[in-house]
């Protein structure tokens, strides 16, 4: 068993920084949008701010706010953008920042890579704040839930009326039980959801499969779609305005079902309701045998 005291500082903070190429590719998806305000809730070394600068968007965006809990990192990022008055870097816990801004300010785009921190590695104050965020939006809070879940819920609350969120998150959002409430919450609060998956690992230093989650608020629900890429080169031909959305089911079920077409999904539903077929659960209990 690996104890908390034996874990690296990087793991305790969930500080696995986004590769520059991925940040650049994500920012490029929004470079033609009319975006006036941006939030980066866990800016780390400032890679997403650098991507915005590289895309020459700093002059077009009125307000860019970045939050970073580590003082040294916040100081370095703040120093790089001293000459950009529209960029403000806050050295504080994002959960505290969220409580200060909720109901006062919204953002057209929230983007970044939230920290992947297991419950047992959070401080007691952070656990309480995470539980408050989740429970106040009708979700359960337990010791299995990772910090990135609460980050997503909080950030969606800070979106403007037609705001967008673009996050790098663990691929486990598609199916793990502890994200059931999150999947329902996202379906209920976003008009469009795009999930970009990769065959190859995006983070070179960690064995963590990730997806790029893009959500958009709006009055008309378009649904959900999953775009499968081999690697980051797939961004070169990606058009976020193209169609391919499936109707979203407002349930807690796994999102792996959206990897198949609507026609295939309809067939599965038809088979499930056909009394000529039985389910395995009619004959015995089905449980996971071993987990790591």
């Amino acid at each position: 068993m690996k104890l908390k005291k034996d874990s690296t500082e990087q793991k305790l903070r969930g500080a696995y920084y986004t590769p520059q190429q991925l940040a650049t590719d994500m920012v490029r998806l929004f470079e033609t949008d009319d975006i006036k305000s941006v939030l980066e809730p866990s800016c780390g070394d400032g890679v997403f701010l650098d991507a915005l600068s590289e895309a020459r968007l700093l002059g077009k965006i009125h307000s860019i706010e970045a939050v970073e809990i580590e003082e040294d990192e916040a100081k370095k990022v703040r120093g790089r953008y001293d000459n950009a008055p529209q960029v403000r870097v806050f050295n504080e816990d994002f959960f505290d920042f969220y409580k200060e801004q909720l109901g006062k300010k919204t953002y057209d785009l929230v983007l970044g890579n939230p920290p992947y921190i297991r419950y047992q590695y959070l401080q007691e104050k952070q656990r309480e704040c995470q539980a408050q965020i989740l429970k106040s939006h009708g979700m359960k809070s337990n010791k299995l839930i990772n910090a990135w879940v609460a980050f997503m819920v909080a950030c969606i609350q800070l979106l403007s009326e037609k705001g967008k969120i673009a996050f790098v998150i663990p691929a486990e959002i598609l199916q793990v039980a502890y994200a059931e409430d999150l999947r329902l919450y996202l379906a209920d609060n976003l008009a469009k959801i795009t999930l970009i998956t990769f065959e190859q690992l995006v983070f070179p230093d960690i064995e963590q499969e990730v997806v790029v989650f893009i959500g958009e608020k709006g009055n008309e629900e378009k649904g959900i779609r999953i775009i499968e890429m081999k690697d980051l080169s797939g961004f070169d031909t990606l058009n976020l305005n193209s169609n391919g959305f499936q109707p979203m089911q407002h349930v807690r079920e796994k999102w792996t079902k959206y990897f198949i077409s609507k026609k295939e999904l309809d067939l599965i539903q038809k088979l499930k309701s056909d009394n000529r077929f039985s389910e395995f659960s009619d004959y015995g209990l089905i449980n996971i045998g071993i987990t790591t």
Side-chain angles (χ1 to χ4, degrees), residues 8 14 33 54 91 124 131-132 143 151 183 211:
T8 65
D33 291 3
E54 183 183 313
N91 175 215
E124 188 58 37
Q132 182 182 4
K143 295 181 180 180
F151 263 71
R183 291 192 288 268
V211 299

Side-chain angles (χ1 to χ4, degrees), residues 40 62 112 120 155 163 188 192 195 201-202 205 223 237 286 291:
E40 215 290 44
H62 297 168
Q120 58 266 40
C155 286
D188 287 344
K192 294 180 186 177
L195 288 158
L201 289 175
V202 172
D205 300 325
T237 56
I286 303 168
T291 60

Side-chain angles (χ1 to χ4, degrees), residues 13 40-44 65-78 88-97 100:
R13 293 195 291 118
E40 215 290 44
S42 55
C43 74
E65 296 185 349
V67 184
E68 173 52 42
I69 195 170
E70 287 298 310
E71 184 178 0
D72 289 344
E73 293 284 42
K75 189 180 295 184
K76 283 188 287 186
V77 176
R78 191 181 290 129
R88 299 177 67 198
V89 180
F90 297 84
N91 175 215
E92 61 180 304
D93 191 315
F94 171 69
F95 289 156
D96 293 330
F97 178 87
E100 294 162 6

Side-chain angles (χ1 to χ4, degrees), residues 50-144:
D50 295 342
L52 289 168
S53 177
E54 183 183 313
R56 299 182 179 178
L57 293 176
L58 295 188
K60 299 179 182 179
I61 300 170
H62 297 168
S63 170
I64 301 173
E65 296 185 349
V67 184
E68 173 52 42
I69 195 170
E70 287 298 310
E71 184 178 0
D72 289 344
E73 293 284 42
K75 189 180 295 184
K76 283 188 287 186
V77 176
R78 191 181 290 129
R80 289 212 304 276
Y81 290 94
D82 266 348
N83 296 325
Q86 71 275 45
V87 177
R88 299 177 67 198
V89 180
F90 297 84
N91 175 215
E92 61 180 304
D93 191 315
F94 171 69
F95 289 156
D96 293 330
F97 178 87
Y98 160 76
K99 287 190 291 185
E100 294 162 6
Q101 300 300 324
L102 186 62
K104 299 176 184 176
K105 190 167 186 179
T106 59
Y107 302 86
D108 297 331
L109 176 63
V110 179
L111 82 167
N113 174 14
Y116 311 159
I117 310 176
R118 296 166 69 176
Y119 179 88
Q120 58 266 40
Y121 293 165
L122 293 171
Q123 298 174 6
E124 188 58 37
K125 179 186 175 184
Q126 293 172 318
R127 292 176 182 177
E128 292 172 359
C129 195
Q130 174 169 290
Q132 182 182 4
I133 290 170
L134 298 176
K135 289 179 179 177
S136 64
H137 296 100
M139 303 169 67
K140 296 187 294 291
S141 176
N142 59 48
K143 295 181 180 180
L144 296 175

Side-chain angles (χ1 to χ4, degrees), residues 28 31 34 49 62 73 102 105 108 116 125 128 139 162 177 203 206 210 221 237 252 258 266 276-277 285 287:
R28 280 171 46 207
E31 60 186 354
D34 183 21
L49 295 182
H62 297 168
E73 293 284 42
L102 186 62
K105 190 167 186 179
D108 297 331
Y116 311 159
K125 179 186 175 184
E128 292 172 359
M139 303 169 67
K162 292 186 178 180
F203 285 74
I206 57 171
V210 299
E221 183 177 304
T237 56
R252 292 180 171 85
Y258 296 118
D266 289 343
R276 291 176 298 170
F277 297 92
L285 297 175
N287 288 304

